[in-house]
């Protein structure tokens, strides 16, 4: 769906801690927005644009994550039509995961987190024209107006700000002998869910290693995958822009062709880029899914003769 405001986008999936939405934006937003319900995470699936906020200016490009702290005022001027995945941490904030044994510089160096700049582009958009702000609080939108552009900062100081990370700056952990669990790819965490990023990496090379995920029923988390780019190594018939949803308790794993390719060592490298949301609490399915869900997905592990297996 397309709209100038992210706040009218319907939920694909949601629970009290998380909202998962898609947003297409092809024209400049003529107003500012602020999410007072929680931090917002944008993932730029397609397109690009200029992002303006309290902290300055960022140029958005495909593959960027943008973490927007709760209460930030922002707007976007697209330079190419945007297709954005939005994940709200409702009444919560995003943190970086515990890096544990591998240390602070693993997966991505904190220095790769980019912040907005008070640059010429930002200063040039400051004007004395009336601007309005759409504030979302408790999912109700209110409008505040100023007789000038309130994105008028000349500088800022502190450790809370918008941050951007592109998936290309992620250096994935891998082992040639051990298929690492998805949690090794955690990128951002909130209290009741995690965001993981699957990026290109070599596939396990040891003859005894598992090369595709084991079959599992994910008993502790609902699992949502957004396919951004590449050939997803454990799924058949999945295209970019698709979302899969595997609720806790529903057994799933590699599709037949992907399993066979793993057995045959057919691929030595995976070029997939995918964003995973794992939620500790059950996700509800939004009404919008009724018109866009693939009802045959649940049968996609079956052979043409209806049998299931490797
Ligand atoms: Fe899974």
């Amino acid at each position: 769906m397309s709209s100038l405001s992210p706040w009218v986008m319907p939920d694909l999936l949601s629970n009290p801690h998380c909202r998962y939405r898609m947003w297409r934006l092809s024209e400049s937003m003529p107003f500012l927005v602020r999410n007072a319900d929680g931090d917002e995470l944008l993932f730029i699936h397609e397109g690009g644009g200029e992002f303006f906020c309290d902290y300055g200016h960022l140029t958005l490009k495909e593959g960027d994550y943008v973490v927007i702290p709760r209460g930030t005022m922002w707007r976007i001027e697209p330079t190419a039509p945007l297709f954005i995945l939005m994940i709200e941490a409702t009444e919560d904030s995003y943190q970086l995961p515990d890096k544990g044994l591998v240390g602070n510089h693993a997966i991505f160096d904190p220095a790769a987190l980019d912040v907005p700049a008070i640059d010429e582009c930002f200063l040039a958009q400051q004007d004395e024209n009336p601007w309005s702000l759409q504030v979302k609080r408790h999912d109700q939108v209110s409008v505040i107006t100023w007789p000038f552009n309130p994105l008028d900062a000349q500088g800022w100081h502190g450790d809370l700000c918008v941050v951007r990370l592109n998936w290309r700056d992620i250096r994935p952990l891998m082992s040639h002998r051990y298929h690492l669990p998805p949690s090794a790819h955690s990128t951002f965490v909130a209290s009741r869910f995690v965001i993981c990023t699957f990026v290109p990496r070599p596939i396990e090379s040891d003859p005894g290693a598992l090369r595709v995920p084991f079959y599992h029923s994910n008993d502790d988390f609902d699992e949502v995958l957004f396919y951004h780019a590449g050939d997803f190594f454990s799924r058949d018939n999945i295209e970019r822009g698709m979302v899969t949803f595997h609720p806790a308790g529903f057994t799933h794993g590699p599709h037949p062709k992907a399993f066979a390719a793993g057995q045959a060592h057919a691929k030595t490298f995976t070029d997939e880029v995918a964003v995973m949301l794992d939620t500790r609490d059950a996700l509800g399915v939004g009404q919008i899914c009724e018109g866009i869900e693939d009802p045959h997905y649940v049968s996609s592990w079956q052979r043409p003769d209806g049998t299931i297996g490797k």
Side-chain angles (χ1 to χ4, degrees), residues 216 218 223 235 246 252:
H216 58 282
N218 231 45
E223 177 190 302
R235 297 271 182 273
H246 298 142
H252 61 279

Side-chain angles (χ1 to χ4, degrees), residues 239-256:
E239 294 168 19
R240 61 192 302 278
M242 285 186 173
V243 172
T244 57
F245 175 37
H246 298 142
F250 286 74
T251 308
H252 61 279
H255 278 82

Side-chain angles (χ1 to χ4, degrees), residues 130-144:
W131 277 86
S132 66
L133 166 68
Q134 295 194 6
V135 181
K136 182 172 82 68
R137 176 59 178 163
H138 201 45
D139 208 27
Q140 300 288 310
V141 176
S142 304
V143 178
I144 299 171

Side-chain angles (χ1 to χ4, degrees), residues 163-211:
V163 293
R164 178 255 299 282
L165 175 73
N166 193 278
W167 69 258
R168 293 170 180 83
D169 288 322
I170 296 175
R171 311 283 186 248
L173 298 179
M174 63 90 51
S175 160
H176 69 294
R177 298 187 65 195
Y178 174 52
H179 186 82
L180 291 169
S183 51
H185 306 293
S186 297
T187 313
F188 302 107
V189 299
S191 303
R192 303 292 291 174
F193 67 88
V194 300
I195 306 289
C196 303
T197 315
F198 300 116
V199 299
R201 62 168 179 81
I203 287 179
E204 294 78 2
S205 56
D206 187 274
L210 193 67
R211 285 173 207 84

Side-chain angles (χ1 to χ4, degrees), residues 44-65:
I44 310 300
H45 174 56
E46 289 177 357
E50 309 303 335
F51 177 90
F52 299 98
C53 68
D54 289 304
Y55 305 95
H57 164 242
L58 278 173
T59 296
L60 303 178
K61 58 185 184 300
E62 164 273 324
D64 279 348
Y65 282 112

